[in-house]
Amino acid sequence: MTPQNTVAIVYDYDQTLSPSYMQEDVIFPAFGINGEKFWRRCTELVHEHGYDNELAYMKVMLDTFGMDRQTNAELKRLGSKLNFYKGLPEMFEEFRNNLLTEEQIAHGITVEHYIISSGLKVLLDGSRLQPYAGEQVLEAVVAGPDGANRLFTITGAANVSISVSGGQQQTQTRTFLVGPAFSGGQFYRAIGEASVSSQIVNIQTAPGSFQVQINSVEADWDDESGRVEVRVEIFVTVGAGIAAGVSQIRYWVTILAQIAD
């Protein structure tokens, strides 16, 4: 069995991290949606047509917007207005520094935080919680090739810790596991993308140059863990008198699989 040293803490968002629902907090007021009518229609779909709760509200939201649907950029901006319980996001900042002991850190133990957003991850991406949330997984039923019937879209952040200084350049590869576990017969294909999301540049002597880029992203099934392993090659170069570091990247991974119903 593969050793496990990552601890995951999973939070529901609505009425757990926030006293209100995301929709009622920012979407309904922004677009003039009547909350009472909206939820009544959701309840009808669940009780009269057998919808799952989350799928019901997603359908009603799409029906409400009609052809004039909002862009991800518009919804992301609304995320900055989300309200949280007192002590958030400060709690996550405290967890970063004080959750693990020195002995636990020395053994390679890490903690990741995951928030269940029920299809509204884009709002979290624009909120003050974004820097602390782990990956988000969205599953959809599809009709794919060779019997593949599930499409998983996974987004998240990975810590990479690359430092370069004094006219140096480095090309380093970072690997990490994403998404749910699959058997060899379930997994079909995966593709990935990545971008740098956190970097620090210290210019000691001006002028100077700094460049960072993602050379390649590969995603494939790992037979030991059963999850998809992502390999990201990162290139960093700096001029003389400059120190720079890349601490975090964001990733987007799509997995096609065959799951028995």
Side-chain angles (χ1 to χ4, degrees):
M1 180 179 296
T2 304
Q4 299 295 316
N5 58 2
T6 301
V7 178
I9 305 178
V10 184
Y11 313 81
D12 187 27
Y13 177 86
D14 299 320
Q15 299 186 320
T16 300
L17 298 180
S18 170
S20 55
Y21 290 89
M22 283 193 201
Q23 301 93 329
E24 296 176 346
D25 204 4
V26 294
I27 293 181
F28 291 0
F31 303 112
I33 297 175
N34 183 301
E36 183 179 352
K37 293 181 178 178
F38 182 94
W39 294 120
R40 184 187 307 127
R41 177 55 181 155
C42 292
T43 301
E44 291 174 355
L45 290 178
V46 172
H47 294 299
E48 297 178 12
H49 300 280
Y51 272 68
D52 175 83
N53 285 312
E54 280 70 26
L55 293 179
Y57 98 75
M58 289 180 187
K59 173 174 171 50
V60 176
M61 185 171 295
L62 292 175
D63 290 345
T64 300
F65 286 136
M67 294 299 294
D68 187 26
R69 295 175 183 174
Q70 310 310 310
T71 65
N72 282 338
E74 291 174 302
L75 294 175
K76 186 174 182 178
R77 284 194 292 269
L78 286 179
S80 64
K81 300 179 181 180
L82 288 174
N83 296 304
F84 314 119
Y85 278 117
K86 184 178 180 180
L88 292 172
E90 294 81 4
M91 178 188 77
F92 291 105
E93 187 64 35
E94 185 176 348
F95 280 175
R96 274 183 171 177
N97 302 318
N98 303 313
L99 192 59
L100 298 175
T101 66
E102 291 184 3
E103 181 180 4
Q104 290 168 333
I105 295 173
H107 281 83
I109 296 175
T110 60
V111 176
E112 297 178 352
H113 303 277
Y114 298 88
I115 300 174
I116 299 173
S117 59
S118 299
L120 292 177
K121 176 186 174 296
V122 66
L123 291 178
L124 288 178
D125 284 344
S127 77
R128 290 176 294 141
L129 293 182
Q130 187 277 328
Y132 311 101
E135 70 179 25
Q136 301 288 314
V137 180
L138 180 63
E139 178 182 356
V141 178
V142 298
D146 299 328
N149 60 1
R150 292 292 191 281
L151 183 68
F152 296 85
T153 303
I154 300 142
T155 57
N159 297 324
V160 294
S161 185
I162 301 174
S163 299
V164 182
S165 62
Q168 296 178 335
Q169 67 179 39
Q170 290 190 29
T171 300
Q172 296 194 18
T173 300
R174 293 292 186 269
T175 63
F176 48 90
L177 301 172
V178 304
F182 303 98
S183 67
Q186 292 176 321
F187 176 81
Y188 184 79
R189 182 181 300 166
I191 58 174
E193 298 180 12
S195 67
V196 174
S197 62
S198 180
Q199 60 191 39
I200 299 174
V201 181
N202 181 13
I203 302 177
Q204 300 165 338
T205 304
S209 61
F210 165 66
Q211 180 184 0
V212 57
Q213 67 185 39
I214 304 294
N215 284 344
S216 64
V217 182
E218 299 176 358
D220 203 355
W221 182 67
D222 174 60
D223 59 356
E224 290 189 4
S225 65
R227 301 174 68 192
V228 169
E229 181 183 77
V230 180
R231 296 175 58 86
V232 182
E233 185 179 274
I234 307 164
F235 172 77
V236 184
T237 180
V238 298
I242 295 182
V246 177
S247 58
Q248 190 179 77
I249 60 173
R250 296 286 296 175
Y251 58 82
W252 298 263
V253 178
T254 302
I255 303 172
L256 193 59
Q258 182 178 21
I259 308 296
D261 294 325

